[in-house]
Amino acid sequence: MTVDTTRIKAALDKPGVKIVDEDLFAQSAVLVPLIKKDNDRWNVLFQVRASHLKRQPGEICFPGGTLDGPDEHPRQAAQRETAEELGISPENISIWGQLGLIISPFNLLLFSFVGEIPPLDKLAPSADEVDSVFTVPLTRLLTLEPKTHYIKVQAQPSADFPFDKIPGGRAYPWRTGVLPEVFYEIGDHTIWGLTARILQQFLTLVRST
């Protein structure tokens, strides 16, 4: 077999972040929806997930969902899912840009975007996915100090793991990780998990501009 170094270099020089074992991760995209209210003041819109959903019923989230196949760009997915969940046209969603990629230890790649959506009276949230929506002024969010707690993530090898093939065997010193869990308390609402981490990332960006 001939080694073509030119093609190898070209492959290595491709733009974009390379994620090892990317096919093992589910990929989702969400939108931090900005909406104007009360004398054109910016608000952030949140959704309360429908109580009949199998996953995370009743939790607070941003609109979004799983990419529709490998050919759909995360930006398109965020726009499409937001349109479906809030009952608006994709053309009426103006995406401003992208926040950082979250790589979850639970096999999830989460892309997040920020954008403007139409006024509240133009929305028709889908009862299949959304129980209700509420907005919080951006100026108020910027005054909040979230509380952060931590979850330890540990390796748990499968029952058939070949311990005899690694140094130390069953006593191998596996690395452990720490996962931050951020909590925002806003009135009767608790925003936590990945939604809170995205919100924190966005608010940090706003403060720095």
Side-chain angles (χ1 to χ4, degrees), residues 163-185:
F163 287 102
D164 59 307
K165 299 184 183 299
I166 64 174
R170 292 184 178 276
Y172 185 82
W174 297 99
R175 289 180 179 269
T176 59
V178 175
L179 179 65
E181 286 291 356
V182 181
F183 289 77
Y184 284 91
E185 301 289 342

Side-chain angles (χ1 to χ4, degrees), residues 17 20 37 59 66 69 77 101 110 129 134 141 149 156 167 207:
V17 177
V20 177
K37 287 181 59 182
E59 292 197 22
T66 305
L101 170 66
L110 182 58
E129 300 185 69
F134 65 95
L141 290 171
H149 302 273
Q156 292 186 332
R207 292 189 186 99

